[in-house]
Amino acid sequence: MLYTSTRNADIKVTASEAIIQGLSEDGGLFVPEKLPEITTAEIESLGKMQYHERAFTILQKFLGDFSDTEIQSAVKSAYGRNFSVPDVTQIKKLSADCFVLELFHGPTCAFKDMALQLLPYLMLISAEKCTSVQGKRIAILTATSGDTGKAALEGFKDVPGTSVTVFYPEDGVSEMQKRQMTTQQGANVRVCAVKGNFDDCQNGVKEIFTSGRTDGELAAELQKKNMVFSSANSINWGRLAPQIVYYISAYASLLESGEIKTGEKVNICVPTGNFGNILAAYYAKQMGLPVNKLICASNSNNVLTDFIKTGVYDRQREFYTTVSPSMDILISSNLERLIYQYHLSPNPDEKCNSLQEWFAALKTQGRYEVNERVKAKIERDFYGGWCNESDTAATIKAVFEKHAYLIDPHTAVAFKIYDEYKAASNDDCKTIIVSTANPYKFCGAVYRSLGKEPEQDEFMTAQKLEWLTNTRMPDPLFRTQGLPVRFSDSVEKGEMKKAVIEIIRSL
Ligand SMILES: *Cc1c(COP(=O)(O)O)cnc(C)c1O
């Protein structure tokens, strides 16, 4: 199976090339030329398998130039003891028609581990296959809204032949998220704060990427060090493919336990920022998973809600820093992949032309509007809603009081929009709500939601939260308490490239 670019149908690369390059050279994103299918029988057969075997079954459909042995060894290494529950993910039944898919049992306590524990293996295997990078070191550049950074650092730390640099918005992450990143161990890692928001970090990284290919100084430094850039953000196909796995896997588990019947449709509700996680659910649906609605839940940065309702994407609006910082995003990169999929037409050139126009308009005017055909398809598949700060807090409290179940602010946004959807529709399909982070990553906000005033010290708050809710702070977070802060650099948003050049020199 080959991959093409959302902006140029003439580009055709293998899976390994797509993973190594991260972003296509025309600025587009890599997408499968044709989505593979999964049959009912296949989905049923997953029920008896362990998570890594399920991952193998699904990923081999996407990784055309990987051997079975390569995929098997990668998924076995990624989905093992580094997750704190035996099944890697966990499903909690909250009521007869509502299930929570917990994706935060990896080493950094957020769903990003689901892909970033695997990506380093995929990247190393890919590097061996691509003649353009053989023998070169891979410099991973990552912009983070809080969780990707830590998960990338943890995934790539001390992986031979790689280095990883993370840029995060200085005032845009939780205390615990910052602590997790700035105390990161490993010889090949760098962490740098940016005086700006996540969009600034993401734009900076995208630009550094492009200039790594064209810009004199940066390209020369890379060459001197025998390095190439790649990305651990969800613009990389190697991030998305592993995320498709857990949707199909969750469905198979519900089938296996008798909660749903063969072929029964479910809704999937996802707290969304960069549109990566929910896009993976959409791909699962397109492959054949019985999905009814995809419920896209946003926080006050509600650009996606408006887009789903009107077909107009307009990022010219105020940027809010919220208690769900990993969703504080106004440029949802992966939406481009969804629009590509909807816009597929018999004439491939026609398809790419308006995509180019739309995304050029986003860059120059901060806005684009899709055509009626795309709008209609979005309306058919998606429901969009957004949740403000006080409703987020109220939802954490209400869910805890009703179910004795503690959720993080991102997951709370999803719960709120699920309720809203249920009230607004006559839909009685069962729903899977995706839980993306452990509440202790945001313990200040969570504690405050329960009506208490947080302590100055994050760990003190965490302890009080433990007493109050009879829950436990996960070990990986607890352990950061004793670690020294290794990274305290902070740069202006215009200085990211300079910082990268210095980092490359130091590696
Ligand atoms: C990254 C993240 C999200 C948003 O996921 P996208 O793939 O960017 O839509 C939601 N919740 C948490 C906790 C995250 O870390």
Side-chain angles (χ1 to χ4, degrees):
M1 180 217 264
L2 291 179
Y3 290 78
T4 183
S5 162
T6 48
R7 298 190 199 176
N8 182 352
D10 293 335
I11 291 183
K12 293 206 185 345
V13 302
T14 59
S16 57
E17 281 174 275
I19 290 169
I20 284 293
Q21 289 185 37
L23 191 66
S24 176
E25 59 195 13
D26 57 352
L29 305 182
F30 288 117
V31 282
E33 263 199 313
K34 190 172 176 297
L35 275 180
E37 284 171 15
I38 187 150
T39 63
T40 312
E42 269 179 306
I43 297 172
E44 270 178 355
S45 74
L46 296 178
K48 300 257 184 289
M49 296 182 193
Q50 290 189 294
Y51 192 86
H52 70 86
E53 297 165 317
R54 297 178 182 187
F56 167 76
T57 309
I58 295 156
L59 289 175
Q60 50 117 4
K61 295 176 187 286
F62 287 98
L63 302 173
D65 62 333
F66 284 52
S67 73
D68 285 0
T69 332
E70 284 168 337
I71 304 173
Q72 266 154 353
S73 85
V75 293
K76 259 192 134 149
S77 312
Y79 302 120
R81 267 170 309 194
N82 30 2
F83 286 79
S84 63
V85 294
D87 295 337
V88 178
T89 68
Q90 198 158 275
I91 300 178
K92 287 249 158 76
K93 183 175 181 175
L94 280 201
S95 67
D97 59 359
C98 178
F99 301 87
V100 183
L101 173 59
E102 295 180 348
L103 298 176
F104 54 73
H105 296 290
T108 78
C109 307
F111 89 90
K112 305 294 198 294
D113 289 325
M114 296 303 300
L116 280 163
Q117 283 295 301
L118 180 64
L119 185 65
Y121 297 102
L122 300 184
M123 197 105 46
L124 290 186
I125 297 168
S126 299
E128 277 172 26
K129 294 182 188 296
C130 299
T131 43
S132 59
V133 294
Q134 264 164 4
K136 291 197 175 159
R137 287 195 289 167
I138 304 168
I140 306 285
L141 277 188
T142 296
T144 184
S145 56
D147 291 324
T148 295
K150 177 62 184 180
L153 292 163
E154 201 53 40
F156 281 97
K157 76 166 178 215
D158 294 329
V159 173
T162 71
S163 69
V164 50
T165 302
V166 167
F167 289 102
Y168 71 92
E170 183 152 43
D171 300 317
V173 301
S174 81
E175 275 308 304
M176 190 62 78
Q177 287 178 313
K178 186 182 279 190
R179 207 178 155 75
Q180 280 186 291
M181 290 189 278
T182 56
T183 59
Q184 177 67 43
Q185 313 271 292
N188 64 339
V189 304
R190 297 288 186 279
V191 177
C192 184
V194 176
K195 296 189 195 340
N197 61 34
F198 170 73
D199 290 320
D200 298 323
C201 296
Q202 178 160 263
N203 285 339
V205 162
K206 276 188 188 165
E207 262 168 54
I208 295 168
F209 249 95
T210 322
S211 45
R213 290 177 172 133
T214 53
D215 177 86
E217 194 184 7
L218 192 53
E221 284 302 326
L222 283 173
Q223 196 164 21
K224 224 187 284 169
K225 292 281 180 162
N226 199 23
M227 283 180 155
V228 287
F229 282 142
S230 192
S231 163
N233 280 106
S234 55
I235 52 172
N236 193 319
W237 182 256
R239 272 281 302 276
L240 274 177
Q243 296 184 182
I244 298 171
V245 173
Y246 50 72
Y247 289 110
I248 300 175
S249 168
Y251 188 94
S253 295
L254 290 177
L255 206 53
E256 180 70 15
S257 61
E259 296 289 355
I260 53 176
K261 296 189 291 289
T262 304
E264 181 174 342
K265 284 191 176 178
V266 297
N267 300 317
I268 299 177
C269 178
V270 189
T272 307
N274 221 357
F275 209 78
N277 203 0
I278 195 165
L279 180 73
Y282 166 80
Y283 280 133
K285 175 179 182 175
Q286 289 310 103
M287 290 172 71
L289 193 72
V291 174
N292 180 40
K293 277 278 176 194
L294 296 160
I295 303 170
C296 177
S298 302
N299 64 22
S300 305
N301 296 293
N302 55 4
V303 59
L304 284 166
T305 314
D306 289 348
F307 175 70
I308 290 169
K309 294 200 163 128
T310 64
V312 177
Y313 194 94
D314 191 348
R315 71 172 168 90
Q316 298 158 290
R317 60 180 73 212
E318 196 172 336
F319 181 97
Y320 297 101
T321 300
T322 73
V323 288
S324 46
S326 303
M327 290 152 53
D328 291 347
I329 294 174
L330 290 181
I331 305 173
S332 300
S333 303
N334 274 299
L335 197 57
E336 181 164 342
R337 286 188 163 112
L338 179 78
I339 294 172
Y340 170 88
Q341 210 67 33
Y342 282 148
H343 200 43
L344 285 174
S345 73
N347 176 352
D349 287 330
E350 182 204 333
K351 163 189 74 201
C352 282
N353 276 340
S354 51
L355 241 74
Q356 275 162 357
E357 270 166 42
W358 294 338
F359 291 101
L362 179 63
K363 204 158 187 188
T364 54
Q365 292 146 42
R367 178 186 192 280
Y368 63 88
E369 178 167 10
V370 295
N371 58 28
E372 291 303 324
R373 193 156 56 97
V374 173
K375 258 186 232 179
K377 290 182 182 174
I378 291 172
E379 211 165 296
R380 181 195 62 198
D381 290 337
F382 287 85
Y383 174 84
W386 69 280
C387 174
N388 66 23
E389 295 289 273
S390 59
D391 283 347
T392 306
T395 304
I396 292 175
K397 186 157 190 275
V399 171
F400 184 71
E401 282 169 358
K402 185 160 179 205
H403 302 285
Y405 184 58
L406 192 63
I407 55 174
D408 96 289
H410 303 77
T411 308
V413 167
F415 267 80
K416 172 74 188 167
I417 304 309
Y418 163 66
D419 279 346
E420 180 188 297
Y421 172 73
K422 249 187 99 133
S425 69
N426 289 322
D427 183 359
D428 55 5
C429 287
K430 290 171 183 148
T431 298
I432 297 172
I433 299 179
V434 175
S435 179
T436 48
N438 184 290
Y440 282 88
K441 279 197 104 158
F442 309 93
C443 54
V446 170
Y447 194 58
R448 180 170 284 125
S449 302
L450 299 175
K452 306 281 181 183
E453 200 43 44
E455 301 292 324
Q456 264 311 359
D457 179 76
E458 186 82 349
F459 292 95
M460 192 83 99
T461 309
Q463 196 167 62
K464 290 194 150 182
L465 186 61
E466 288 187 333
W467 293 334
L468 183 68
T469 60
N470 197 21
T471 56
R472 289 276 299 163
M473 179 183 218
D475 276 346
L477 299 182
F478 182 73
R479 280 198 302 267
T480 62
Q481 191 172 14
L483 297 175
V485 169
R486 291 181 64 203
F487 304 102
S488 52
D489 284 354
S490 147
V491 299
E492 298 293 334
K493 57 189 179 193
E495 288 178 346
M496 289 170 62
K497 188 165 113 190
K498 209 172 108 210
V500 167
I501 292 177
E502 274 165 28
I503 289 168
I504 293 173
R505 286 194 181 128
S506 75
L507 287 168

